[in-house]
Amino acid sequence: MVDLVVRSRRVVTPEGERAAAVLVAEGRITAVLPYDADAGAAEDVDLGDTALLPGLVDTHVHVNEPGRTEWEGFATATRAAAAGGVTTIVDMPLNSLPPTVTGEALKIKQVAATGQCHVDVGFWGGAIPGNAADLPGLHAAGVFGFKAFLADSGVPEFPPVDADQLATAMNAVDALFVVHAEDPDHLRDAASSPAYADFLASRPEGAEHAAVATAIAVARAAGRRVHILHLSAATALPLIAQARAEGVRVTAETCPHYLTLDAAGIPDGATEFKCCPPIRDTANADRLWEALADGLITCVVSDHSPCTPDLKRQDTGDFAAAWGGIASVQLGLPVIWTAARDRGHTLADVVKWMARRPADLVGLRNKGRITPGADADLVAFEPDTEFVVDAHALHHKNPVTPYAGKRLRGVVRTTWLRGRTVTGDRAGGKFLSIDEEN
């Protein structure tokens, strides 16, 4: 019995874009047939020329609940994700209170999230000084791996690790480690200033370069997988390429803001653009695009990291005092599609970067692809429709975004999670675990 068929002349499959009918039963894709196939489904949706994409997978989202729910929460973050075509998120272990650094903290977070998730949710654990003994239990409880900072995280309850502490953590558990790679010895205290150039100078490319080298060296010695989070500095790309050529299991991601925003265009006092590592110049972004196209950078994720408007210090425009984080989980798809199309890339490229490869990173083989056996996470997407970003129309909790007023291309019309339309009224998401059968 087929519950649903969704037809489109532009279905993006792992083999490319084609006209097809996608059949769904009991939440899974059962077949991908010719566009006009007789499916006998209870519900038959014909999208015509509207594209059908797999649900995106965003492995870098800060939900912040519990503890800092005024910044963001599971209900608002996952509603925003679904509105942006994201059907799976993996939540970072900070900035919630408590951070997800013990098994008990994971349970507390899951209790807080229960009944609130509009998309499927997985969890990262955290590696901090002194918690190596907790990591095997956390991994057994289903976290997808462990995040570590090599520089100050911005919150005192999640301190950074040095190279020796990272090695201790890696040797404690055979898991994926995802690393915020900035070297504190290369960072400078930012002077109070509304000038973005002053903030940018405090976090130079050399800080990322040195920290990527440290993460790779530790992973090589421990024989572990390491993933470089939110890569901003293109100067670190040769280090990653060389390490991979030598057999080190290292991957890297970047974010929409590093690919599409330009340091030279950030106005004085526009603290909504502050993030760490920082947005750099257009030449740097060009090199990130090249690395993405050739597979050196494997995926694009949001690093959705919102806060309350007062913490952005928009009253003073002081970059040094403002919280560093960009809220973009709802906008990643149109932001990247707008820029990718102008650079000659296809929807299939965007799906590879934002759906299939992030799913593969964390071992979710039934996510991020339109193929028989995969979860029926689907997105109806109008790639040629333009819109202007209205921050107050976004679903994340606090309407602050550097994309406000920007004209983008690509509108999500419908999102299905395991074959059911996500309306924002019914929280139908489930928790995902690394030990699931995928």
Side-chain angles (χ1 to χ4, degrees):
M1 179 64 182
V2 177
D3 303 319
L4 169 70
V5 60
V6 184
R7 307 173 191 273
S8 169
R9 294 186 181 89
R10 301 188 64 183
V11 177
V12 181
T13 72
E15 295 74 38
E17 185 178 313
R18 62 188 174 96
V22 179
L23 279 59
V24 176
E26 298 182 347
R28 292 285 180 106
I29 297 170
T30 58
V32 181
L33 301 179
Y35 174 78
D36 57 357
D38 183 5
E43 181 181 5
D44 196 316
V45 178
D46 192 338
L47 299 177
D49 292 328
T50 295
L52 185 66
L53 316 182
L56 305 189
V57 177
D58 192 339
T59 54
H60 197 147
V61 177
H62 294 267
V63 178
N64 305 334
E65 186 175 8
R68 291 189 175 95
T69 312
E70 69 274 15
W71 295 16
E72 186 65 286
F74 283 98
T76 47
T78 59
R79 191 179 286 115
V86 177
T87 52
T88 299
I89 67 168
V90 186
D91 171 63
M92 282 292 169
L94 73 163
N95 302 300
S96 56
L97 292 169
T100 315
V101 295
T102 66
E104 182 59 30
L106 175 62
K107 292 177 184 176
I108 291 170
K109 179 169 281 191
Q110 290 173 328
V111 168
T114 297
Q116 295 203 74
C117 300
H118 296 273
V119 302
D120 287 351
V121 177
F123 301 91
W124 293 107
I128 62 173
N131 83 325
D134 293 293
L135 303 187
L138 257 176
H139 201 231
V143 300
F144 285 94
F146 298 95
K147 180 175 187 177
F149 275 77
L150 296 182
D152 180 25
S153 72
V155 291
E157 68 277 1
F158 202 98
V161 295
D162 60 24
D164 289 341
Q165 291 163 334
L166 181 60
T168 298
M170 284 191 175
N171 286 314
V173 60
D174 186 2
L176 172 62
F177 281 78
V178 298
V179 177
H180 180 121
E182 288 182 289
D183 188 310
D185 292 339
H186 289 72
L187 301 178
R188 299 189 288 273
D189 290 336
S192 178
S193 171
Y196 181 76
D198 291 338
F199 166 67
L200 179 60
S202 73
R203 305 186 89 94
E205 292 178 333
E208 284 190 79
H209 189 104
V212 168
T214 296
I216 288 172
V218 174
R220 177 189 287 113
R224 297 293 189 242
R225 292 174 64 201
V226 66
H227 180 73
I228 306 301
L229 297 170
H230 46 46
L231 184 70
S232 160
T235 57
L237 290 167
L239 292 175
I240 297 169
Q242 180 63 33
R244 288 175 65 171
E246 295 170 354
V248 180
R249 294 180 294 166
V250 57
T251 51
E253 68 187 34
T254 194
C255 304
H257 37 282
Y258 300 130
L259 292 166
T260 66
L261 300 178
D262 177 14
I266 297 177
D268 286 353
T271 54
E272 63 270 24
F273 288 85
K274 180 180 177 179
C275 56
C276 300
I279 295 160
R280 305 191 189 277
D281 61 27
T282 299
N284 181 80
D286 288 341
R287 292 179 64 191
L288 296 179
W289 276 105
E290 292 169 3
L292 188 61
D294 67 20
L296 184 57
I297 295 175
T298 56
C299 52
V300 179
V301 293
S302 69
D303 190 10
H304 179 74
S305 185
C307 65
T308 53
D310 60 299
L311 293 177
K312 275 297 188 183
R313 300 307 302 268
Q314 293 179 316
D315 54 338
T316 64
D318 183 359
F319 275 96
W323 174 258
I326 287 178
S328 62
V329 69
Q330 185 172 340
L331 293 172
L333 176 56
V335 167
I336 289 298
W337 170 238
T338 300
R341 175 173 164 164
D342 289 346
R343 289 173 177 266
H345 295 292
T346 66
L347 275 178
D349 293 328
V350 173
V351 164
K352 176 174 60 179
W353 301 330
M354 302 186 77
R356 189 170 79 249
R357 283 184 179 167
D360 289 348
L361 174 71
V362 293
L364 290 172
R365 304 299 178 185
N366 285 336
K367 297 289 189 182
R369 65 209 78 208
I370 296 177
T371 192
D375 286 352
D377 300 343
L378 305 168
V379 177
F381 183 66
E382 293 183 357
D384 299 321
T385 301
E386 294 187 350
F387 71 102
V388 175
V389 176
D390 176 1
H392 292 277
L394 301 176
H395 291 281
H396 67 262
K397 183 164 288 187
N398 295 291
V400 177
T401 174
Y403 301 109
K406 293 190 179 295
R407 180 172 293 277
L408 300 176
R409 183 182 288 113
V411 172
V412 172
R413 290 303 183 197
T414 307
T415 299
W416 290 268
L417 179 67
R418 294 189 305 280
R420 301 187 68 166
T421 304
V422 181
T423 63
D425 299 321
R426 173 187 174 274
K430 70 175 186 176
F431 297 155
L432 303 175
S433 171
I434 196 170
D435 61 2
E436 289 184 3
E437 181 181 347
N438 292 302

